[in-house]
Amino acid sequence: TIIGINYILKYIPIEINVSPVEDEPNHSPASLQQTEYERIGGRTGSSFFQTIIHLLKGNIGTGLLGLPLAVKNAGLLVGPLSLLAMGIVAIHCMNLLVKCAHHLSVKMGKPFLSYGDAVEYGMENVSWLSRHSVWGRRVVNLFLNITQLGFCCVYFVFLSDNIKQVVETANGTTGNCHNNETAVNVPSYDSRLYMLFFLPFIIVLVFIRNLKYLAPLSFVANISMCVSLVLIYYYCLTNIPYPINLPLAGRAVDYPLFFGTAIFAFEGIGVVLPLENKMQNPRNFPTVLYLGMGIVTTLYITLGTIGYIGFGEHIRGSITLNLPLCWLYQTVKLLYSFGIYITYALQFYVSAEILIPPAVARCGPRWTLMVDLGIRVALVALTCALAILIPELDLVISLVGSVSSSALALIIPPLLQIITFHNEDMKLWEMVKNIAISLIGFVGFVAGTYISIQEIVARNSSRHNSTYLNVG
Protein backbone atom coordinates (compact mmCIF):
# COMPACT_ATOMS: atom_id res chain seq x y z
CA THR A 1 0.00 0.00 0.00
CA ILE A 2 1.03 3.62 -0.41
CA ILE A 3 1.64 4.34 3.28
CA GLY A 4 3.38 1.05 4.06
CA ILE A 5 5.68 1.06 1.05
CA ASN A 6 6.34 4.76 1.41
CA TYR A 7 7.58 4.66 4.97
CA ILE A 8 9.73 1.61 4.37
CA LEU A 9 11.25 3.42 1.41
CA LYS A 10 11.36 6.68 3.28
CA TYR A 11 14.06 6.12 5.85
CA ILE A 12 15.19 2.48 5.94
CA PRO A 13 18.32 1.97 3.87
CA ILE A 14 17.91 -0.71 1.20
CA GLU A 15 20.95 -2.84 0.43
CA ILE A 16 20.90 -3.95 -3.17
CA ASN A 17 23.54 -6.02 -4.90
CA VAL A 18 23.74 -5.33 -8.59
CA SER A 19 25.64 -7.64 -10.88
CA PRO A 20 27.60 -6.19 -13.82
CA VAL A 21 25.66 -5.63 -17.01
CA GLU A 22 26.68 -8.42 -19.35
CA ASP A 23 25.95 -6.61 -22.58
CA GLU A 24 28.20 -3.64 -21.68
CA PRO A 25 31.55 -5.25 -20.81
CA ASN A 26 33.80 -2.54 -22.18
CA HIS A 27 32.66 0.33 -19.91
CA SER A 28 35.13 1.98 -17.61
CA PRO A 29 34.59 1.40 -13.86
CA ALA A 30 33.13 4.86 -13.34
CA SER A 31 30.68 4.60 -16.22
CA LEU A 32 29.77 1.04 -15.22
CA GLN A 33 28.97 2.20 -11.70
CA GLN A 34 26.86 4.99 -13.17
CA THR A 35 25.00 2.48 -15.34
CA GLU A 36 24.42 0.15 -12.41
CA TYR A 37 23.07 3.00 -10.30
CA GLU A 38 20.60 3.95 -13.00
CA ARG A 39 19.47 0.32 -13.48
CA ILE A 40 18.79 -0.54 -9.84
CA GLY A 41 15.03 -0.22 -10.12
CA GLY A 42 14.88 -2.21 -13.34
CA ARG A 43 11.68 -3.59 -14.77
CA THR A 44 10.41 -4.45 -11.29
CA GLY A 45 10.91 -0.90 -10.02
CA SER A 46 8.26 1.75 -9.45
CA SER A 47 6.62 3.41 -12.42
CA PHE A 48 6.49 7.17 -12.95
CA PHE A 49 2.95 7.36 -11.55
CA GLN A 50 3.67 5.10 -8.55
CA THR A 51 6.71 7.20 -7.62
CA ILE A 52 4.63 10.39 -7.67
CA ILE A 53 2.03 8.74 -5.40
CA HIS A 54 4.74 7.71 -2.93
CA LEU A 55 6.22 11.22 -3.01
CA LEU A 56 2.82 12.78 -2.37
CA LYS A 57 2.12 10.48 0.58
CA GLY A 58 5.56 11.16 2.00
CA ASN A 59 4.68 14.85 2.29
CA ILE A 60 0.98 14.84 3.19
CA GLY A 61 0.00 14.09 6.78
CA THR A 62 -1.04 15.93 9.92
CA GLY A 63 1.18 18.87 8.98
CA LEU A 64 -1.22 19.75 6.14
CA LEU A 65 -4.11 20.12 8.58
CA GLY A 66 -2.10 22.52 10.74
CA LEU A 67 -1.22 24.93 7.91
CA PRO A 68 -4.31 27.18 8.25
CA LEU A 69 -3.14 28.09 11.75
CA ALA A 70 0.37 28.56 10.38
CA VAL A 71 -0.97 31.03 7.80
CA LYS A 72 -2.75 32.87 10.62
CA ASN A 73 0.59 33.21 12.45
CA ALA A 74 2.25 34.65 9.32
CA GLY A 75 -0.67 36.62 7.84
CA LEU A 76 -3.02 36.21 4.88
CA LEU A 77 -0.45 37.58 2.39
CA VAL A 78 2.85 36.75 4.08
CA GLY A 79 1.76 33.18 4.89
CA PRO A 80 1.03 31.92 1.34
CA LEU A 81 4.06 33.75 -0.08
CA SER A 82 6.26 32.21 2.61
CA LEU A 83 4.84 28.75 1.87
CA LEU A 84 5.65 29.24 -1.81
CA ALA A 85 9.20 30.35 -1.01
CA MET A 86 9.68 27.49 1.45
CA GLY A 87 8.35 25.01 -1.11
CA ILE A 88 10.83 26.24 -3.72
CA VAL A 89 13.73 26.01 -1.27
CA ALA A 90 12.64 22.57 -0.01
CA ILE A 91 12.42 21.21 -3.57
CA HIS A 92 15.83 22.68 -4.33
CA CYS A 93 17.32 21.00 -1.24
CA MET A 94 15.77 17.67 -2.23
CA ASN A 95 17.39 18.01 -5.65
CA LEU A 96 20.73 18.84 -4.03
CA LEU A 97 20.54 15.70 -1.91
CA VAL A 98 19.84 13.55 -4.97
CA LYS A 99 22.75 15.07 -6.93
CA CYS A 100 25.19 14.65 -4.05
CA ALA A 101 24.14 11.06 -3.36
CA HIS A 102 24.38 10.20 -7.06
CA HIS A 103 27.86 11.73 -7.34
CA LEU A 104 29.12 10.03 -4.17
CA SER A 105 27.63 6.65 -5.13
CA VAL A 106 29.65 6.67 -8.34
CA LYS A 107 32.79 7.87 -6.57
CA MET A 108 32.52 5.23 -3.82
CA GLY A 109 31.41 2.42 -6.14
CA LYS A 110 28.13 2.00 -4.27
CA PRO A 111 24.85 1.23 -6.10
CA PHE A 112 22.78 3.22 -3.61
CA LEU A 113 23.28 5.62 -0.73
CA SER A 114 20.87 6.47 2.05
CA TYR A 115 20.72 9.98 3.51
CA GLY A 116 23.10 9.00 6.30
CA ASP A 117 25.49 7.30 3.84
CA ALA A 118 25.62 10.42 1.69
CA VAL A 119 26.53 12.66 4.63
CA GLU A 120 29.16 10.20 5.89
CA TYR A 121 30.87 9.82 2.50
CA GLY A 122 30.57 13.54 1.86
CA MET A 123 32.45 14.28 5.08
CA GLU A 124 35.21 11.94 3.93
CA ASN A 125 35.87 14.45 1.12
CA VAL A 126 37.09 16.99 3.69
CA SER A 127 40.41 16.13 5.32
CA TRP A 128 39.65 17.65 8.73
CA LEU A 129 36.21 16.00 8.80
CA SER A 130 37.11 12.57 7.45
CA ARG A 131 38.16 11.17 10.84
CA HIS A 132 34.72 11.98 12.21
CA SER A 133 32.68 11.08 9.14
CA VAL A 134 30.74 8.36 10.94
CA TRP A 135 29.15 11.11 13.02
CA GLY A 136 27.51 12.39 9.87
CA ARG A 137 25.46 9.22 9.63
CA ARG A 138 24.77 9.26 13.37
CA VAL A 139 23.53 12.85 13.33
CA VAL A 140 21.19 12.15 10.40
CA ASN A 141 19.85 9.03 12.12
CA LEU A 142 19.38 11.01 15.34
CA PHE A 143 17.28 13.63 13.57
CA LEU A 144 15.36 10.92 11.74
CA ASN A 145 14.52 9.29 15.07
CA ILE A 146 13.52 12.62 16.60
CA THR A 147 11.33 13.28 13.57
CA GLN A 148 9.66 9.86 13.60
CA LEU A 149 9.00 9.79 17.34
CA GLY A 150 7.92 13.42 17.12
CA PHE A 151 5.35 12.40 14.51
CA CYS A 152 4.13 9.74 16.92
CA CYS A 153 3.72 12.36 19.68
CA VAL A 154 1.73 14.52 17.26
CA TYR A 155 -0.50 11.54 16.46
CA PHE A 156 -1.33 11.01 20.14
CA VAL A 157 -2.39 14.66 20.47
CA PHE A 158 -4.30 14.60 17.17
CA LEU A 159 -6.21 11.44 18.10
CA SER A 160 -7.10 12.69 21.58
CA ASP A 161 -8.25 16.14 20.40
CA ASN A 162 -10.41 14.87 17.55
CA ILE A 163 -11.98 11.88 19.32
CA LYS A 164 -12.60 14.02 22.43
CA GLN A 165 -14.48 16.52 20.30
CA VAL A 166 -16.58 13.85 18.57
CA VAL A 167 -17.48 12.12 21.84
CA GLU A 168 -18.22 15.24 23.86
CA THR A 169 -20.41 16.86 21.20
CA ALA A 170 -22.29 13.72 20.19
CA ASN A 171 -25.53 14.84 21.86
CA GLY A 172 -25.50 18.14 19.96
CA THR A 173 -24.55 16.69 16.59
CA THR A 174 -27.16 17.10 13.86
CA GLY A 175 -27.58 16.29 10.18
CA ASN A 176 -27.52 19.97 9.16
CA CYS A 177 -24.18 20.92 7.60
CA HIS A 178 -25.39 24.08 5.83
CA ASN A 179 -24.32 26.52 8.50
CA ASN A 180 -21.03 27.66 9.88
CA GLU A 181 -21.48 26.27 13.38
CA THR A 182 -18.40 24.59 14.70
CA ALA A 183 -18.16 22.03 17.43
CA VAL A 184 -18.16 23.48 20.94
CA ASN A 185 -16.88 21.07 23.54
CA VAL A 186 -18.86 20.57 26.73
CA PRO A 187 -16.36 20.59 29.65
CA SER A 188 -15.55 17.00 30.41
CA TYR A 189 -12.52 14.73 30.55
CA ASP A 190 -9.10 16.23 29.89
CA SER A 191 -7.61 15.34 26.50
CA ARG A 192 -4.69 13.66 28.29
CA LEU A 193 -7.05 11.02 29.64
CA TYR A 194 -7.96 10.22 26.05
CA MET A 195 -4.26 9.73 25.33
CA LEU A 196 -4.04 7.19 28.14
CA PHE A 197 -7.13 5.50 26.74
CA PHE A 198 -5.43 5.12 23.34
CA LEU A 199 -2.14 3.89 24.85
CA PRO A 200 -2.98 0.15 25.11
CA PHE A 201 -4.54 0.11 21.63
CA ILE A 202 -1.42 1.65 20.10
CA ILE A 203 0.83 -0.76 22.01
CA VAL A 204 -1.14 -3.67 20.56
CA LEU A 205 -0.81 -2.11 17.10
CA VAL A 206 2.99 -1.79 17.25
CA PHE A 207 3.27 -5.43 18.35
CA ILE A 208 2.59 -6.21 14.68
CA ARG A 209 6.22 -6.48 13.65
CA ASN A 210 5.67 -7.42 10.01
CA LEU A 211 4.23 -4.61 7.93
CA LYS A 212 2.63 -6.96 5.42
CA TYR A 213 -0.04 -7.73 8.01
CA LEU A 214 -0.90 -4.03 8.13
CA ALA A 215 -1.34 -3.82 4.35
CA PRO A 216 -5.17 -4.16 4.29
CA LEU A 217 -5.56 -1.63 7.11
CA SER A 218 -3.10 0.72 5.40
CA PHE A 219 -5.14 0.61 2.21
CA VAL A 220 -8.32 1.48 4.11
CA ALA A 221 -6.42 4.24 5.95
CA ASN A 222 -5.31 5.76 2.63
CA ILE A 223 -8.87 5.82 1.32
CA SER A 224 -10.17 7.28 4.60
CA MET A 225 -7.66 10.13 4.61
CA CYS A 226 -8.24 10.94 0.92
CA VAL A 227 -12.03 11.09 1.40
CA SER A 228 -11.55 13.28 4.48
CA LEU A 229 -9.32 15.75 2.62
CA VAL A 230 -11.80 16.02 -0.26
CA LEU A 231 -14.62 16.84 2.18
CA ILE A 232 -12.45 19.36 4.06
CA TYR A 233 -11.61 21.15 0.81
CA TYR A 234 -15.27 21.09 -0.22
CA TYR A 235 -16.41 22.70 3.02
CA CYS A 236 -13.71 25.38 2.95
CA LEU A 237 -14.35 26.30 -0.69
CA THR A 238 -18.12 26.52 -0.23
CA ASN A 239 -17.99 28.57 2.97
CA ILE A 240 -15.66 31.45 2.18
CA PRO A 241 -17.03 34.56 3.94
CA TYR A 242 -17.30 37.98 2.33
CA PRO A 243 -15.86 40.48 2.89
CA ILE A 244 -12.51 39.10 4.01
CA ASN A 245 -11.13 41.21 6.85
CA LEU A 246 -7.98 39.42 7.98
CA PRO A 247 -4.49 40.85 8.60
CA LEU A 248 -2.12 40.53 5.65
CA ALA A 249 0.85 40.08 8.00
CA GLY A 250 0.94 38.45 11.41
CA ARG A 251 2.97 39.39 14.46
CA ALA A 252 6.73 38.98 14.06
CA VAL A 253 6.89 36.98 17.29
CA ASP A 254 4.50 34.38 15.83
CA TYR A 255 6.42 33.87 12.59
CA PRO A 256 8.78 31.23 14.05
CA LEU A 257 5.66 29.16 14.87
CA PHE A 258 4.70 29.43 11.20
CA PHE A 259 8.18 28.30 10.21
CA GLY A 260 8.09 25.24 12.47
CA THR A 261 4.67 24.11 11.25
CA ALA A 262 5.47 24.74 7.59
CA ILE A 263 8.79 22.88 7.64
CA PHE A 264 7.09 20.05 9.56
CA ALA A 265 4.65 19.77 6.65
CA PHE A 266 7.52 19.48 4.13
CA GLU A 267 8.51 16.19 5.75
CA GLY A 268 9.42 14.15 2.67
CA ILE A 269 13.11 14.83 2.05
CA GLY A 270 14.00 11.40 3.41
CA VAL A 271 11.93 9.72 0.69
CA VAL A 272 13.71 11.12 -2.35
CA LEU A 273 16.79 8.87 -2.42
CA PRO A 274 14.95 5.55 -1.94
CA LEU A 275 12.31 6.57 -4.47
CA GLU A 276 14.88 7.43 -7.12
CA ASN A 277 16.65 4.16 -6.42
CA LYS A 278 13.45 2.15 -6.89
CA MET A 279 12.30 3.82 -10.10
CA GLN A 280 12.27 1.86 -13.34
CA ASN A 281 13.94 4.86 -15.01
CA PRO A 282 15.72 7.09 -12.47
CA ARG A 283 16.52 9.61 -15.21
CA ASN A 284 12.87 10.71 -14.92
CA PHE A 285 13.10 11.38 -11.21
CA PRO A 286 13.72 15.15 -11.51
CA THR A 287 10.41 15.41 -13.38
CA VAL A 288 8.73 13.36 -10.64
CA LEU A 289 10.27 15.57 -7.97
CA TYR A 290 9.22 18.88 -9.54
CA LEU A 291 5.73 17.67 -10.50
CA GLY A 292 5.01 15.89 -7.21
CA MET A 293 6.36 18.63 -4.96
CA GLY A 294 4.62 21.24 -7.11
CA ILE A 295 1.32 19.50 -6.34
CA VAL A 296 2.22 19.28 -2.63
CA THR A 297 3.13 22.97 -2.43
CA THR A 298 -0.12 23.90 -4.20
CA LEU A 299 -2.13 21.83 -1.71
CA TYR A 300 -0.32 23.46 1.21
CA ILE A 301 -0.90 27.00 -0.04
CA THR A 302 -4.55 26.47 -0.98
CA LEU A 303 -5.67 24.64 2.17
CA GLY A 304 -3.65 26.92 4.43
CA THR A 305 -5.15 30.01 2.82
CA ILE A 306 -8.80 28.97 2.42
CA GLY A 307 -8.77 27.30 5.83
CA TYR A 308 -7.63 30.53 7.49
CA ILE A 309 -10.10 32.60 5.44
CA GLY A 310 -12.96 30.23 6.31
CA PHE A 311 -12.41 30.19 10.08
CA GLY A 312 -10.41 33.37 10.66
CA GLU A 313 -9.12 34.05 14.15
CA HIS A 314 -10.89 30.94 15.46
CA ILE A 315 -8.74 28.49 13.46
CA ARG A 316 -7.30 25.71 15.63
CA GLY A 317 -4.24 23.45 15.60
CA SER A 318 -5.95 21.06 13.18
CA ILE A 319 -8.59 22.32 10.78
CA THR A 320 -10.67 19.21 11.53
CA LEU A 321 -11.41 20.70 14.96
CA ASN A 322 -13.16 23.65 13.25
CA LEU A 323 -15.50 21.59 11.07
CA PRO A 324 -19.28 21.98 11.59
CA LEU A 325 -21.23 20.13 14.26
CA CYS A 326 -22.92 17.66 11.91
CA TRP A 327 -22.53 13.95 11.38
CA LEU A 328 -20.87 14.25 7.96
CA TYR A 329 -17.93 16.23 9.30
CA GLN A 330 -17.82 14.29 12.56
CA THR A 331 -17.32 11.26 10.33
CA VAL A 332 -14.48 13.11 8.60
CA LYS A 333 -12.71 13.42 11.96
CA LEU A 334 -13.23 9.73 12.67
CA LEU A 335 -11.97 8.70 9.22
CA TYR A 336 -8.85 10.85 9.44
CA SER A 337 -8.24 9.66 13.00
CA PHE A 338 -8.38 6.05 11.83
CA GLY A 339 -5.83 6.85 9.14
CA ILE A 340 -3.54 8.51 11.68
CA TYR A 341 -3.93 5.54 14.06
CA ILE A 342 -2.70 3.11 11.40
CA THR A 343 0.02 5.51 10.27
CA TYR A 344 1.38 5.56 13.84
CA ALA A 345 2.55 1.96 13.43
CA LEU A 346 4.24 2.76 10.12
CA GLN A 347 6.05 5.83 11.46
CA PHE A 348 7.01 3.88 14.58
CA TYR A 349 8.39 1.03 12.43
CA VAL A 350 11.22 3.25 11.19
CA SER A 351 12.56 4.04 14.66
CA ALA A 352 11.99 0.45 15.78
CA GLU A 353 14.16 -0.84 12.93
CA ILE A 354 16.95 1.54 13.94
CA LEU A 355 16.84 1.08 17.72
CA ILE A 356 15.70 -2.50 18.36
CA PRO A 357 18.21 -4.67 16.37
CA PRO A 358 21.32 -3.42 18.26
CA ALA A 359 19.59 -4.08 21.59
CA VAL A 360 18.39 -7.54 20.54
CA ALA A 361 21.90 -8.44 19.34
CA ARG A 362 23.21 -7.97 22.88
CA CYS A 363 20.91 -10.55 24.46
CA GLY A 364 20.50 -14.31 24.07
CA PRO A 365 17.91 -16.00 21.85
CA ARG A 366 15.66 -16.73 24.84
CA TRP A 367 15.25 -13.01 25.54
CA THR A 368 14.97 -11.75 21.97
CA LEU A 369 11.18 -11.51 21.82
CA MET A 370 10.87 -10.07 25.33
CA VAL A 371 13.49 -7.38 24.66
CA ASP A 372 11.89 -6.53 21.30
CA LEU A 373 8.40 -6.11 22.76
CA GLY A 374 9.74 -4.35 25.85
CA ILE A 375 11.47 -1.68 23.75
CA ARG A 376 8.30 -1.21 21.70
CA VAL A 377 6.24 -0.66 24.83
CA ALA A 378 8.83 1.75 26.22
CA LEU A 379 8.97 3.82 23.02
CA VAL A 380 5.18 4.05 22.74
CA ALA A 381 4.96 5.00 26.42
CA LEU A 382 7.64 7.66 25.83
CA THR A 383 5.71 9.24 22.95
CA CYS A 384 2.52 9.14 25.03
CA ALA A 385 4.27 10.73 28.02
CA LEU A 386 5.71 13.52 25.86
CA ALA A 387 2.27 14.13 24.32
CA ILE A 388 0.76 14.33 27.82
CA LEU A 389 3.44 16.84 28.86
CA ILE A 390 2.74 18.95 25.74
CA PRO A 391 -0.95 18.44 24.87
CA GLU A 392 -1.00 21.34 22.39
CA LEU A 393 -1.20 20.10 18.80
CA ASP A 394 0.01 23.27 17.09
CA LEU A 395 2.99 23.66 19.44
CA VAL A 396 4.06 20.02 19.19
CA ILE A 397 4.00 20.27 15.39
CA SER A 398 5.98 23.51 15.45
CA LEU A 399 8.53 22.16 17.93
CA VAL A 400 9.17 18.93 16.00
CA GLY A 401 9.40 20.86 12.75
CA SER A 402 11.83 23.41 14.17
CA VAL A 403 14.09 20.88 15.89
CA SER A 404 14.45 18.08 13.35
CA SER A 405 12.69 18.85 10.07
CA SER A 406 14.62 22.10 9.59
CA ALA A 407 17.91 20.23 9.98
CA LEU A 408 17.00 17.45 7.54
CA ALA A 409 15.26 19.62 4.95
CA LEU A 410 17.17 22.93 4.99
CA ILE A 411 20.45 22.86 6.94
CA ILE A 412 22.16 19.61 5.93
CA PRO A 413 21.58 19.33 2.11
CA PRO A 414 23.28 22.66 1.17
CA LEU A 415 26.23 21.88 3.44
CA LEU A 416 26.42 18.41 1.90
CA GLN A 417 26.77 19.93 -1.56
CA ILE A 418 29.61 22.17 -0.35
CA ILE A 419 31.63 19.31 1.16
CA THR A 420 30.89 17.03 -1.80
CA PHE A 421 31.91 19.39 -4.61
CA HIS A 422 34.32 21.83 -2.92
CA ASN A 423 37.28 20.24 -4.76
CA GLU A 424 35.57 20.27 -8.15
CA ASP A 425 35.47 23.94 -9.17
CA MET A 426 32.32 24.79 -7.29
CA LYS A 427 31.11 28.25 -8.26
CA LEU A 428 31.27 31.00 -5.65
CA TRP A 429 27.61 31.96 -6.05
CA GLU A 430 26.60 28.34 -5.38
CA MET A 431 28.60 28.28 -2.16
CA VAL A 432 27.10 31.61 -1.04
CA LYS A 433 23.59 30.39 -1.89
CA ASN A 434 24.08 27.15 0.04
CA ILE A 435 25.47 28.94 3.09
CA ALA A 436 22.51 31.35 2.99
CA ILE A 437 19.96 28.50 2.88
CA SER A 438 21.67 26.71 5.78
CA LEU A 439 21.78 29.92 7.81
CA ILE A 440 18.08 30.52 7.19
CA GLY A 441 17.39 26.96 8.31
CA PHE A 442 19.56 27.43 11.40
CA VAL A 443 17.86 30.71 12.35
CA GLY A 444 14.49 28.99 11.91
CA PHE A 445 15.74 26.09 14.01
CA VAL A 446 16.81 28.34 16.89
CA ALA A 447 13.92 30.82 16.77
CA GLY A 448 11.25 28.18 16.15
CA THR A 449 12.49 25.98 18.97
CA TYR A 450 12.77 28.92 21.39
CA ILE A 451 9.33 30.37 20.65
CA SER A 452 7.68 26.92 20.68
CA ILE A 453 9.15 26.06 24.08
CA GLN A 454 8.25 29.52 25.39
CA GLU A 455 4.62 29.09 24.25
CA ILE A 456 4.49 25.56 25.71
CA VAL A 457 5.62 26.86 29.11
CA ALA A 458 3.16 29.77 28.95
CA ARG A 459 0.19 27.59 28.04
CA ASN A 460 1.06 24.98 30.65
CA SER A 461 1.26 27.73 33.28
CA SER A 462 -2.07 29.11 32.12
CA ARG A 463 -3.63 25.65 32.20
CA HIS A 464 -2.23 25.02 35.69
CA ASN A 465 -3.50 28.36 37.00
CA SER A 466 -6.92 27.77 35.47
CA THR A 467 -7.12 24.33 37.08
CA TYR A 468 -6.01 25.76 40.43
CA LEU A 469 -8.65 28.50 40.32
CA ASN A 470 -11.38 26.04 39.36
CA VAL A 471 -10.43 23.76 42.24
CA GLY A 472 -10.22 26.68 44.64
Side-chain angles (χ1 to χ4, degrees):
T1 65
I2 295 173
I3 296 180
I5 295 175
N6 176 71
Y7 284 104
I8 294 175
L9 289 174
K10 188 171 181 180
Y11 295 117
I12 301 176
I14 302 171
E15 298 295 333
I16 301 176
N17 296 319
V18 183
S19 59
V21 183
E22 295 181 357
D23 57 348
E24 299 175 355
N26 295 322
H27 284 180
S28 66
S31 63
L32 181 57
Q33 292 164 357
Q34 178 89 0
T35 302
E36 289 176 359
Y37 181 87
E38 294 179 352
R39 293 174 61 92
I40 288 175
R43 295 181 180 178
T44 60
S46 301
S47 67
F48 185 92
F49 178 74
Q50 289 172 329
T51 307
I52 286 182
I53 295 298
H54 294 327
L55 186 63
L56 291 176
K57 189 61 192 76
N59 285 273
I60 297 175
T62 53
L64 173 63
L65 302 180
L67 287 176
L69 179 58
V71 172
K72 173 191 171 184
N73 288 328
L76 187 57
L77 177 62
V78 176
L81 290 178
S82 297
L83 281 174
L84 177 61
M86 190 170 291
I88 293 172
V89 174
I91 296 169
H92 177 66
C93 289
M94 291 178 180
N95 195 40
L96 289 183
L97 179 60
V98 171
K99 287 182 177 179
C100 292
H102 195 247
H103 177 83
L104 291 168
S105 70
V106 174
K107 184 174 181 178
M108 304 303 297
K110 303 283 186 179
F112 169 72
L113 297 182
S114 67
Y115 197 161
D117 294 332
V119 174
E120 180 178 0
Y121 292 133
M123 290 176 66
E124 290 182 0
N125 269 341
V126 183
S127 57
W128 58 277
L129 289 176
S130 59
R131 294 177 57 186
H132 309 286
S133 61
V134 68
W135 282 99
R137 181 198 304 274
R138 291 173 180 172
V139 168
V140 169
N141 285 339
L142 172 64
F143 282 122
L144 288 175
N145 274 310
I146 293 174
T147 300
Q148 295 306 119
L149 295 178
F151 288 160
C152 292
C153 293
V154 169
Y155 294 165
F156 260 111
V157 182
F158 180 90
L159 287 170
S160 66
D161 284 351
N162 282 269
I163 299 302
K164 170 185 168 71
Q165 189 181 81
V166 171
V167 171
E168 297 183 356
T169 61
N171 291 335
T173 303
T174 68
N176 180 18
C177 296
H178 298 291
N179 53 51
N180 199 32
E181 292 182 20
T182 55
V184 178
N185 289 348
V186 176
S188 183
Y189 297 111
D190 191 288
S191 63
R192 290 171 286 193
L193 294 177
Y194 283 86
M195 296 180 198
L196 292 175
F197 170 79
F198 280 114
L199 180 59
F201 294 97
I202 292 179
I203 289 176
V204 170
L205 183 68
V206 301
F207 279 176
I208 302 175
R209 296 183 294 166
N210 192 330
L211 286 184
K212 72 178 182 180
Y213 298 119
L214 283 176
L217 292 176
S218 298
F219 177 77
V220 176
N222 278 328
I223 299 300
S224 300
M225 295 172 76
C226 287
V227 170
S228 298
L229 283 177
V230 169
L231 290 173
I232 291 170
Y233 265 94
Y234 173 78
Y235 180 81
C236 291
L237 289 171
T238 55
N239 289 274
I240 296 178
Y242 295 98
I244 300 172
N245 295 313
L246 295 172
L248 298 181
R251 299 187 307 162
V253 70
D254 291 332
Y255 193 83
L257 296 176
F258 162 84
F259 174 87
T261 303
I263 200 63
F264 177 94
F266 285 101
E267 62 185 73
I269 191 166
V271 76
V272 294
L273 295 182
L275 283 182
E276 188 205 23
N277 171 54
K278 296 297 291 184
M279 277 194 74
Q280 293 174 355
N281 187 359
R283 291 179 182 273
N284 292 332
F285 186 76
T287 305
V288 169
L289 180 62
Y290 293 129
L291 177 60
M293 290 306 300
I295 294 172
V296 167
T297 304
T298 301
L299 287 174
Y300 287 176
I301 294 173
T302 54
L303 184 62
T305 304
I306 64 176
Y308 176 41
I309 290 174
F311 298 106
E313 294 299 315
H314 302 290
I315 190 66
R316 301 181 64 178
S318 170
I319 194 173
T320 54
L321 299 174
N322 287 95
L323 293 176
L325 186 55
C326 70
W327 283 114
L328 175 62
Y329 291 105
Q330 298 290 63
T331 303
V332 166
K333 298 166 194 172
L334 293 175
L335 288 175
Y336 214 96
S337 295
F338 173 75
I340 291 300
Y341 172 69
I342 300 301
T343 306
Y344 184 103
L346 301 165
Q347 295 279 20
F348 181 87
Y349 183 85
V350 177
S351 290
E353 285 298 298
I354 295 174
L355 299 174
I356 292 178
V360 169
R362 295 172 179 267
C363 64
R366 291 179 54 190
W367 299 97
T368 297
L369 180 60
M370 185 176 296
V371 171
D372 186 315
L373 299 181
I375 294 176
R376 291 173 186 271
V377 172
L379 289 176
V380 173
L382 174 64
T383 60
C384 181
L386 291 174
I388 289 173
L389 289 173
I390 315 173
E392 306 289 346
L393 184 60
D394 58 322
L395 297 183
V396 177
I397 289 176
S398 182
L399 181 62
V400 174
S402 299
V403 170
S404 57
S405 298
S406 59
L408 294 174
L410 296 181
I411 299 175
I412 297 177
L415 296 179
L416 177 60
Q417 188 189 33
I418 292 175
I419 62 178
T420 299
F421 294 101
H422 74 285
N423 287 328
E424 302 183 28
D425 297 326
M426 188 176 186
K427 296 182 176 60
L428 178 62
W429 69 266
E430 287 186 303
M431 189 168 297
V432 172
K433 177 260 299 178
N434 288 339
I435 293 174
I437 293 175
S438 290
L439 284 176
I440 291 171
F442 182 74
V443 170
F445 166 84
V446 174
T449 302
Y450 174 77
I451 296 297
S452 297
I453 293 176
Q454 187 180 56
E455 283 293 311
I456 288 168
V457 172
R459 289 196 197 176
N460 280 342
S461 298
S462 176
R463 182 192 296 265
H464 176 75
N465 292 337
S466 176
T467 303
Y468 178 79
L469 291 174
N470 289 336
V471 172

